[in-house]
Amino acid sequence: MRIDVVSIFPAYLSSLGLSLVGRAARTGLLDLRVHDLRDWTDDRHRTVDDTPFGGGAGMVMRPDVWGAALDDVMRPGPGLPVDAHLLVPTPSGQPFTQRLAERLTDESHLVIACGRYEGIDARVAQHVGAQHPVTELSIGDYVLNGGEAAALVVVEAVVRLLPGVVGNPQSLVEESHGAAGLLEYPVYTKPPVWEGLEVPEVLLSGHHGRVARWRRDQALERTARRRPDLLAALDVAALDRADRALLAGLGWTVLGDRLVATGEGHAGEGPDPVR
Ligand SMILES: C[S@@+](CC[C@H](N)C(=O)[O-])C[C@H]1O[C@@H](n2cnc3c(N)ncnc32)[C@H](O)[C@@H]1O
């Protein structure tokens, strides 16, 4: 996969050289390039912004500078895929989720346009969208100063799903937001007792069946307590008899092809013991 990131603060992206993403780039699993948007300016001050039409606070990033940058970076060339997909981080974009990260792993070329100020002139997405897929995405319901932190999030979430990036692919299977649609169960390592706190006995039992059941129960309980919206979206066909019994105790029942909260369980009562 090739990924290009365009920003007025290219140094912000330097942490992409670290850890698994950095190794993927060094070993050729990923072709990662970071560009300075100001390289596409043609005035002495290297200006990338101007005042907003219609008035109001702040500055807006200029379409001509962004257009020139993206035309260059997204243009198919020797060794470059033709189907570049533009990602525009913005708090008004569609939520960036694990499903979207998974879909983006099918792309051969992603380009990420990091906005600053009040964002990028809206015509830029229209202009690029005439020739390429464009996705405006939000990494959460809050406002950052720029798209660079969002670009770091997107690159890491997508690249770790590429074959060969994470050493043991099995570790991607049971994660939160994975195929099961649940949050992950709590995890522990040695020592078995630390600061008077014991690892749950079942995890020391060596009994694979009991461990699997305990983890599944913990995942269901944790999801019910912290993210009931995920339970409501669960595929009920994947629930076994033990799941359904546990969920009934947590106040959830299967109605048709959906899980619904009955309000009679104990989920949500009291403090969350696993923070
Ligand atoms: C100060 S924000 C602009 C906010 C914009 N005026 C609005 O209200 O939607 C500047 C830039 O930060 C980035 N940004 C801020 N919050 C973000 C979020 N939650 N998700 C993705 N990008 C975000 C975007 O690139 C945005 O163009």
Side-chain angles (χ1 to χ4, degrees), residues 211-236:
V211 170
R213 186 66 249 170
W214 181 87
R215 287 180 166 166
R216 175 86 180 160
D217 290 350
Q218 291 288 315
L220 288 163
E221 278 194 48
R222 187 181 253 190
T223 308
R225 195 183 311 115
R226 297 181 180 181
R227 293 292 304 275
D229 58 310
L230 296 181
L231 272 196
L234 216 56
D235 175 11
V236 296

Short mmCIF file of all heavy atoms in Angstrom, two decimals, residues 211-236:
data_model
loop_
_atom_site.label_atom_id
_atom_site.label_comp_id
_atom_site.label_asym_id
_atom_site.label_seq_id
_atom_site.Cartn_x
_atom_site.Cartn_y
_atom_site.Cartn_z
N VAL A 211 -11.43 -21.13 30.06
CA VAL A 211 -10.83 -19.82 29.77
C VAL A 211 -11.63 -19.11 28.67
O VAL A 211 -11.98 -17.94 28.78
CB VAL A 211 -9.35 -19.95 29.36
CG1 VAL A 211 -8.81 -18.62 28.83
CG2 VAL A 211 -8.50 -20.43 30.54
N ALA A 212 -11.94 -19.87 27.61
CA ALA A 212 -12.67 -19.28 26.48
C ALA A 212 -14.04 -18.78 26.93
O ALA A 212 -14.48 -17.68 26.55
CB ALA A 212 -12.81 -20.30 25.35
N ARG A 213 -14.72 -19.59 27.78
CA ARG A 213 -16.05 -19.18 28.25
C ARG A 213 -15.96 -17.94 29.13
O ARG A 213 -16.74 -17.01 29.02
CB ARG A 213 -16.69 -20.34 29.03
CG ARG A 213 -18.13 -20.12 29.46
CD ARG A 213 -19.09 -20.02 28.29
NE ARG A 213 -19.63 -18.68 28.14
CZ ARG A 213 -20.34 -18.28 27.07
NH1 ARG A 213 -20.60 -19.09 26.08
NH2 ARG A 213 -20.78 -17.05 26.99
N TRP A 214 -14.96 -17.92 30.03
CA TRP A 214 -14.78 -16.77 30.92
C TRP A 214 -14.52 -15.50 30.10
O TRP A 214 -15.08 -14.44 30.36
CB TRP A 214 -13.61 -17.03 31.87
CG TRP A 214 -13.38 -15.91 32.84
CD1 TRP A 214 -13.97 -15.72 34.06
CD2 TRP A 214 -12.48 -14.80 32.67
NE1 TRP A 214 -13.51 -14.57 34.65
CE2 TRP A 214 -12.59 -13.99 33.82
CE3 TRP A 214 -11.60 -14.43 31.66
CZ2 TRP A 214 -11.85 -12.81 33.99
CZ3 TRP A 214 -10.87 -13.26 31.82
CH2 TRP A 214 -10.99 -12.47 32.97
N ARG A 215 -13.66 -15.62 29.10
CA ARG A 215 -13.34 -14.45 28.27
C ARG A 215 -14.57 -13.96 27.52
O ARG A 215 -14.81 -12.75 27.40
CB ARG A 215 -12.22 -14.79 27.29
CG ARG A 215 -10.89 -14.89 28.00
CD ARG A 215 -9.77 -15.23 27.04
NE ARG A 215 -8.47 -15.01 27.66
CZ ARG A 215 -7.33 -15.45 27.20
NH1 ARG A 215 -7.30 -16.16 26.08
NH2 ARG A 215 -6.20 -15.17 27.81
N ARG A 216 -15.34 -14.89 27.00
CA ARG A 216 -16.56 -14.52 26.26
C ARG A 216 -17.54 -13.80 27.21
O ARG A 216 -18.10 -12.77 26.88
CB ARG A 216 -17.18 -15.79 25.70
CG ARG A 216 -18.49 -15.61 25.01
CD ARG A 216 -18.32 -15.24 23.57
NE ARG A 216 -19.62 -15.07 22.93
CZ ARG A 216 -19.80 -14.41 21.80
NH1 ARG A 216 -18.79 -13.84 21.19
NH2 ARG A 216 -21.00 -14.30 21.27
N ASP A 217 -17.71 -14.35 28.42
CA ASP A 217 -18.61 -13.71 29.39
C ASP A 217 -18.13 -12.30 29.73
O ASP A 217 -18.92 -11.36 29.83
CB ASP A 217 -18.69 -14.55 30.68
CG ASP A 217 -19.42 -15.86 30.46
OD1 ASP A 217 -20.02 -16.05 29.39
OD2 ASP A 217 -19.37 -16.71 31.39
N GLN A 218 -16.81 -12.18 29.95
CA GLN A 218 -16.26 -10.87 30.29
C GLN A 218 -16.46 -9.86 29.16
O GLN A 218 -16.77 -8.70 29.39
CB GLN A 218 -14.76 -10.99 30.60
CG GLN A 218 -14.44 -11.74 31.88
CD GLN A 218 -14.80 -10.93 33.12
OE1 GLN A 218 -14.50 -9.75 33.18
NE2 GLN A 218 -15.43 -11.55 34.08
N ALA A 219 -16.27 -10.35 27.93
CA ALA A 219 -16.46 -9.46 26.78
C ALA A 219 -17.91 -9.00 26.69
O ALA A 219 -18.20 -7.82 26.46
CB ALA A 219 -16.04 -10.17 25.49
N LEU A 220 -18.84 -9.93 26.91
CA LEU A 220 -20.25 -9.57 26.85
C LEU A 220 -20.61 -8.59 27.97
O LEU A 220 -21.29 -7.58 27.74
CB LEU A 220 -21.13 -10.83 26.95
CG LEU A 220 -21.13 -11.73 25.71
CD1 LEU A 220 -21.68 -13.12 26.06
CD2 LEU A 220 -21.97 -11.11 24.59
N GLU A 221 -20.13 -8.88 29.19
CA GLU A 221 -20.45 -8.01 30.33
C GLU A 221 -19.87 -6.61 30.14
O GLU A 221 -20.52 -5.61 30.39
CB GLU A 221 -19.87 -8.60 31.62
CG GLU A 221 -20.73 -9.67 32.23
CD GLU A 221 -20.31 -9.97 33.66
OE1 GLU A 221 -20.12 -9.03 34.45
OE2 GLU A 221 -20.15 -11.16 33.95
N ARG A 222 -18.61 -6.58 29.71
CA ARG A 222 -17.94 -5.30 29.54
C ARG A 222 -18.65 -4.47 28.46
O ARG A 222 -18.84 -3.27 28.59
CB ARG A 222 -16.49 -5.56 29.14
CG ARG A 222 -15.64 -4.35 29.08
CD ARG A 222 -14.24 -4.72 28.65
NE ARG A 222 -13.31 -4.65 29.75
CZ ARG A 222 -11.98 -4.74 29.59
NH1 ARG A 222 -11.47 -4.93 28.40
NH2 ARG A 222 -11.17 -4.63 30.62
N THR A 223 -19.05 -5.15 27.38
CA THR A 223 -19.72 -4.44 26.29
C THR A 223 -21.09 -3.93 26.76
O THR A 223 -21.48 -2.80 26.45
CB THR A 223 -19.87 -5.35 25.06
OG1 THR A 223 -18.60 -5.91 24.74
CG2 THR A 223 -20.39 -4.58 23.86
N ALA A 224 -21.80 -4.75 27.54
CA ALA A 224 -23.11 -4.34 28.03
C ALA A 224 -22.96 -3.10 28.91
O ALA A 224 -23.77 -2.17 28.85
CB ALA A 224 -23.76 -5.47 28.81
N ARG A 225 -21.91 -3.09 29.72
CA ARG A 225 -21.73 -2.00 30.68
C ARG A 225 -21.24 -0.73 30.01
O ARG A 225 -21.73 0.37 30.27
CB ARG A 225 -20.74 -2.45 31.76
CG ARG A 225 -20.74 -1.57 32.98
CD ARG A 225 -19.69 -2.01 33.99
NE ARG A 225 -19.71 -3.43 34.27
CZ ARG A 225 -18.73 -4.27 33.99
NH1 ARG A 225 -17.64 -3.84 33.39
NH2 ARG A 225 -18.82 -5.54 34.28
N ARG A 226 -20.24 -0.90 29.11
CA ARG A 226 -19.59 0.29 28.56
C ARG A 226 -20.16 0.75 27.22
O ARG A 226 -20.13 1.93 26.91
CB ARG A 226 -18.09 0.02 28.35
CG ARG A 226 -17.37 -0.27 29.62
CD ARG A 226 -15.90 -0.51 29.34
NE ARG A 226 -15.19 -0.79 30.57
CZ ARG A 226 -13.88 -1.02 30.63
NH1 ARG A 226 -13.17 -0.99 29.53
NH2 ARG A 226 -13.29 -1.26 31.77
N ARG A 227 -20.58 -0.21 26.39
CA ARG A 227 -21.02 0.16 25.04
C ARG A 227 -22.28 -0.60 24.65
O ARG A 227 -22.28 -1.45 23.75
CB ARG A 227 -19.89 -0.15 24.03
CG ARG A 227 -18.66 0.74 24.19
CD ARG A 227 -18.95 2.20 23.81
NE ARG A 227 -19.47 2.30 22.46
CZ ARG A 227 -18.71 2.36 21.36
NH1 ARG A 227 -17.41 2.37 21.47
NH2 ARG A 227 -19.26 2.44 20.18
N PRO A 228 -23.40 -0.30 25.34
CA PRO A 228 -24.64 -0.99 24.99
C PRO A 228 -25.03 -0.80 23.52
O PRO A 228 -25.71 -1.67 22.96
CB PRO A 228 -25.68 -0.36 25.93
CG PRO A 228 -25.02 0.83 26.54
CD PRO A 228 -23.56 0.63 26.47
N ASP A 229 -24.58 0.27 22.90
CA ASP A 229 -24.88 0.47 21.46
C ASP A 229 -24.30 -0.66 20.62
O ASP A 229 -24.88 -1.05 19.60
CB ASP A 229 -24.34 1.83 20.99
CG ASP A 229 -22.84 1.96 21.20
OD1 ASP A 229 -22.36 1.70 22.32
OD2 ASP A 229 -22.13 2.33 20.24
N LEU A 230 -23.15 -1.22 21.05
CA LEU A 230 -22.55 -2.32 20.29
C LEU A 230 -23.36 -3.60 20.46
O LEU A 230 -23.52 -4.39 19.53
CB LEU A 230 -21.10 -2.57 20.75
CG LEU A 230 -20.09 -1.44 20.51
CD1 LEU A 230 -18.71 -1.86 21.00
CD2 LEU A 230 -20.03 -1.08 19.03
N LEU A 231 -23.89 -3.83 21.67
CA LEU A 231 -24.71 -5.02 21.89
C LEU A 231 -25.95 -4.97 21.02
O LEU A 231 -26.36 -5.97 20.42
CB LEU A 231 -25.16 -5.11 23.36
CG LEU A 231 -24.26 -5.82 24.36
CD1 LEU A 231 -25.06 -6.12 25.62
CD2 LEU A 231 -23.67 -7.11 23.79
N ALA A 232 -26.55 -3.78 20.95
CA ALA A 232 -27.78 -3.64 20.17
C ALA A 232 -27.54 -3.92 18.69
O ALA A 232 -28.47 -4.26 17.96
CB ALA A 232 -28.36 -2.23 20.36
N ALA A 233 -26.28 -3.78 18.25
CA ALA A 233 -25.97 -4.00 16.83
C ALA A 233 -25.45 -5.41 16.57
O ALA A 233 -25.10 -5.75 15.44
CB ALA A 233 -24.92 -2.97 16.38
N LEU A 234 -25.41 -6.24 17.61
CA LEU A 234 -24.79 -7.57 17.50
C LEU A 234 -25.62 -8.51 16.62
O LEU A 234 -26.84 -8.43 16.60
CB LEU A 234 -24.70 -8.16 18.91
CG LEU A 234 -23.48 -8.99 19.25
CD1 LEU A 234 -22.20 -8.22 19.01
CD2 LEU A 234 -23.55 -9.42 20.72
N ASP A 235 -24.94 -9.42 15.94
CA ASP A 235 -25.61 -10.46 15.16
C ASP A 235 -26.07 -11.54 16.13
O ASP A 235 -25.25 -12.30 16.65
CB ASP A 235 -24.63 -11.02 14.12
CG ASP A 235 -25.23 -12.19 13.35
OD1 ASP A 235 -26.46 -12.43 13.47
OD2 ASP A 235 -24.46 -12.87 12.64
N VAL A 236 -27.38 -11.65 16.37
CA VAL A 236 -27.86 -12.57 17.40
C VAL A 236 -27.64 -14.03 17.02
O VAL A 236 -27.60 -14.91 17.88
CB VAL A 236 -29.35 -12.33 17.76
CG1 VAL A 236 -29.53 -10.96 18.38
CG2 VAL A 236 -30.24 -12.53 16.55
#
